[in-house]
Amino acid sequence: EAGVAQSPRYKIIEKRQSVAFWCNPISGHATLYWYQQILGQGPKLLIQFQNNGVVDDSQLPKDRFSAERLKGVDSTLKIQPAKLEDSAVYLCASSFLGPLPGELFFGEGSRLTVL
Amino acid sequence: AQKVTQAQTEISVVEKEDVTLDCVYETRDTTYYLFWYKQPPSGELVFLIRRNSFDEQNEISGRYSWNFQKSTSSFNFTITASQVVDSAVYFCALSSDNAGNMLTFGGGTRLMVKP
């Protein structure tokens, strides 16, 4: 079974530039998450989708971050304009839809460096 | 508000030693779920276990065991006879119905097992 795919793995940009990350979840997983993991810290949820609807985006800095999940499958996370503090690993995860918080399957992440 | 604290930022042991990773959580919810995830150097987080707040029985899976104590709000993880392949960052996480099943992660404990 293929895992969660993310690209690019690494990206270096200058502040005020824009960047986009792509995620392809495990086939059949209705729920998709984007997490931000700053070096030395635990992951922090940015946004959660269920199919193509947003469940939770309370911690997404909406003035610069946006995310979409077209057709309930792939998802894109965009940052525009980037700030130095956006340097982090952006993790995508997916899970089955169920009544209980389930096992999340994570991708390897996209590491962003903002100079 | 939910909070997960992993006081040990880094632990170093020699192979075959037992090691316990501590996790203390805070929540006002009566129904909640606790998780442990492993993050190897490749970056993707791997699910290890989920426990609900009504099940305080300890669990053992091979060399791994978990001790859930509601009285002290702790969910500790022990690796018996550690191996070099256990070297990773381990995250404890909390989710509750009232938080929309959003996972709140601790800061992680980096475990280094030396041969």
Side-chain angles (χ1 to χ4, degrees), chain A residues 9 35 37 40-45 48 55-56 58-59 91 98-108, chain B residues 33 35 37 39 42-47 50 89 91 95-97 99-108:
Chain A
R9 288 295 312 279
Y35 281 84
Q37 186 177 18
Q41 299 181 16
K44 182 184 83 171
L45 179 69
Q48 176 181 342
V55 174
D56 188 326
S58 57
Q59 299 189 97
L91 295 164
L100 300 176
E103 173 183 354
L104 269 58
F105 294 80
F106 282 83
E108 292 183 322
Chain B
Y33 304 87
F35 301 78
Y37 279 83
Q39 187 174 40
S42 56
E44 81 281 17
L45 281 87
V46 178
F47 168 88
R50 176 186 69 199
V89 181
F91 291 96
S95 176
S96 68
D97 290 347
N101 292 330
M102 183 181 79
L103 278 180
T104 298
F105 284 88

Side-chain angles (χ1 to χ4, degrees), chain B residues 15-74:
Chain B
E15 206 170 19
K16 297 183 184 176
E17 287 185 0
D18 299 347
V19 59
T20 295
L21 309 181
D22 298 333
C23 172
V24 175
Y25 62 91
E26 296 175 30
T27 180
R28 295 180 181 176
D29 297 318
T30 54
T31 302
Y32 53 89
Y33 304 87
L34 296 163
F35 301 78
W36 276 95
Y37 279 83
K38 174 182 180 180
Q39 187 174 40
S42 56
E44 81 281 17
L45 281 87
V46 178
F47 168 88
L48 296 178
I49 189 172
R50 176 186 69 199
R51 300 305 299 273
N52 73 56
S53 51
F54 298 107
D55 183 1
E56 286 193 70
Q57 284 204 7
N58 291 334
E59 180 156 340
I60 298 174
S61 176
R63 296 185 297 107
Y64 294 172
S65 62
W66 290 270
N67 183 359
F68 175 28
Q69 292 196 338
K70 257 177 133 171
S71 60
T72 56
S73 297
S74 65

